[in-house]
mmCIF file of all heavy atoms in Angstrom:
data_model
loop_
_atom_site.group_PDB
_atom_site.id
_atom_site.type_symbol
_atom_site.label_atom_id
_atom_site.label_comp_id
_atom_site.label_asym_id
_atom_site.label_seq_id
_atom_site.Cartn_x
_atom_site.Cartn_y
_atom_site.Cartn_z
ATOM 1 N N VAL A 103 21.031 -31.924 119.033
ATOM 2 C CA VAL A 103 20.156 -30.922 118.414
ATOM 3 C C VAL A 103 20.091 -29.665 119.286
ATOM 4 O O VAL A 103 20.180 -28.535 118.779
ATOM 5 C CB VAL A 103 18.744 -31.506 118.178
ATOM 6 C CG1 VAL A 103 17.812 -30.445 117.615
ATOM 7 C CG2 VAL A 103 18.817 -32.692 117.220
ATOM 8 N N GLN A 104 19.965 -29.854 120.589
ATOM 9 C CA GLN A 104 19.905 -28.696 121.497
ATOM 10 C C GLN A 104 21.189 -27.864 121.424
ATOM 11 O O GLN A 104 21.150 -26.642 121.407
ATOM 12 C CB GLN A 104 19.711 -29.181 122.936
ATOM 13 C CG GLN A 104 18.255 -29.408 123.289
ATOM 14 C CD GLN A 104 18.070 -29.993 124.681
ATOM 15 O OE1 GLN A 104 19.033 -30.161 125.428
ATOM 16 N NE2 GLN A 104 16.840 -30.326 125.008
ATOM 17 N N ARG A 105 22.297 -28.563 121.361
ATOM 18 C CA ARG A 105 23.582 -27.840 121.299
ATOM 19 C C ARG A 105 23.704 -27.085 119.982
ATOM 20 O O ARG A 105 24.169 -25.945 119.955
ATOM 21 C CB ARG A 105 24.742 -28.849 121.442
ATOM 22 C CG ARG A 105 26.103 -28.220 121.545
ATOM 23 C CD ARG A 105 26.245 -27.399 122.818
ATOM 24 N NE ARG A 105 27.466 -26.580 122.817
ATOM 25 C CZ ARG A 105 27.582 -25.404 122.218
ATOM 26 N NH1 ARG A 105 26.563 -24.883 121.549
ATOM 27 N NH2 ARG A 105 28.701 -24.721 122.284
ATOM 28 N N MET A 106 23.256 -27.718 118.901
ATOM 29 C CA MET A 106 23.288 -27.060 117.597
ATOM 30 C C MET A 106 22.340 -25.866 117.585
ATOM 31 O O MET A 106 22.622 -24.829 116.988
ATOM 32 C CB MET A 106 22.911 -28.064 116.503
ATOM 33 C CG MET A 106 22.925 -27.534 115.087
ATOM 34 S SD MET A 106 24.549 -26.960 114.535
ATOM 35 C CE MET A 106 25.341 -28.485 114.067
ATOM 36 N N ASP A 107 21.224 -26.028 118.275
ATOM 37 C CA ASP A 107 20.200 -24.985 118.324
ATOM 38 C C ASP A 107 20.712 -23.712 118.990
ATOM 39 O O ASP A 107 20.194 -22.621 118.734
ATOM 40 C CB ASP A 107 18.979 -25.519 119.083
ATOM 41 C CG ASP A 107 17.696 -24.857 118.600
ATOM 42 O OD1 ASP A 107 17.652 -24.446 117.430
ATOM 43 O OD2 ASP A 107 16.758 -24.735 119.401
ATOM 44 N N ALA A 108 21.741 -23.858 119.818
ATOM 45 C CA ALA A 108 22.308 -22.674 120.481
ATOM 46 C C ALA A 108 22.890 -21.709 119.438
ATOM 47 O O ALA A 108 23.028 -20.511 119.693
ATOM 48 C CB ALA A 108 23.379 -23.100 121.474
ATOM 49 N N GLY A 109 23.212 -22.238 118.281
ATOM 50 C CA GLY A 109 23.596 -21.386 117.152
ATOM 51 C C GLY A 109 25.036 -20.914 117.121
ATOM 52 O O GLY A 109 25.401 -20.083 116.291
ATOM 53 N N ASP A 110 25.873 -21.416 118.019
ATOM 54 C CA ASP A 110 27.260 -20.926 118.032
ATOM 55 C C ASP A 110 28.263 -21.980 117.544
ATOM 56 O O ASP A 110 29.457 -21.867 117.781
ATOM 57 C CB ASP A 110 27.641 -20.473 119.446
ATOM 58 C CG ASP A 110 27.570 -21.607 120.455
ATOM 59 O OD1 ASP A 110 26.970 -22.656 120.113
ATOM 60 O OD2 ASP A 110 28.103 -21.463 121.561
ATOM 61 N N CYS A 111 27.758 -23.023 116.884
ATOM 62 C CA CYS A 111 28.701 -24.035 116.369
ATOM 63 C C CYS A 111 28.177 -24.617 115.056
ATOM 64 O O CYS A 111 26.988 -24.508 114.736
ATOM 65 C CB CYS A 111 28.921 -25.143 117.396
ATOM 66 S SG CYS A 111 27.417 -25.963 117.882
ATOM 67 N N ASP A 112 29.090 -25.197 114.295
ATOM 68 C CA ASP A 112 28.742 -25.784 112.995
ATOM 69 C C ASP A 112 28.708 -27.310 113.049
ATOM 70 O O ASP A 112 28.061 -27.957 112.238
ATOM 71 C CB ASP A 112 29.763 -25.340 111.945
ATOM 72 C CG ASP A 112 29.813 -23.825 111.820
ATOM 73 O OD1 ASP A 112 28.785 -23.255 111.427
ATOM 74 O OD2 ASP A 112 30.859 -23.235 112.137
ATOM 75 N N ILE A 113 29.478 -27.852 113.972
ATOM 76 C CA ILE A 113 29.518 -29.316 114.134
ATOM 77 C C ILE A 113 29.371 -29.633 115.616
ATOM 78 O O ILE A 113 30.018 -29.005 116.457
ATOM 79 C CB ILE A 113 30.864 -29.900 113.628
ATOM 80 C CG1 ILE A 113 31.058 -29.607 112.136
ATOM 81 C CG2 ILE A 113 30.940 -31.397 113.890
ATOM 82 C CD1 ILE A 113 32.442 -29.961 111.603
ATOM 83 N N VAL A 114 28.498 -30.579 115.928
ATOM 84 C CA VAL A 114 28.394 -31.053 117.316
ATOM 85 C C VAL A 114 28.797 -32.520 117.329
ATOM 86 O O VAL A 114 28.290 -33.322 116.544
ATOM 87 C CB VAL A 114 26.959 -30.914 117.873
ATOM 88 C CG1 VAL A 114 26.917 -31.371 119.330
ATOM 89 C CG2 VAL A 114 26.468 -29.486 117.763
ATOM 90 N N ILE A 115 29.725 -32.829 118.220
ATOM 91 C CA ILE A 115 30.182 -34.218 118.343
ATOM 92 C C ILE A 115 29.613 -34.823 119.612
ATOM 93 O O ILE A 115 29.669 -34.199 120.678
ATOM 94 C CB ILE A 115 31.726 -34.287 118.413
ATOM 95 C CG1 ILE A 115 32.334 -33.713 117.133
ATOM 96 C CG2 ILE A 115 32.205 -35.718 118.613
ATOM 97 C CD1 ILE A 115 33.840 -33.554 117.204
#
Side-chain angles (χ1 to χ4, degrees):
Chain A
V103 177
Q104 274 176 4
R105 186 65 191 82
M106 181 62 81
D107 209 28
D110 61 346
C111 58
D112 301 297
I113 299 171
V114 182
I115 299 171

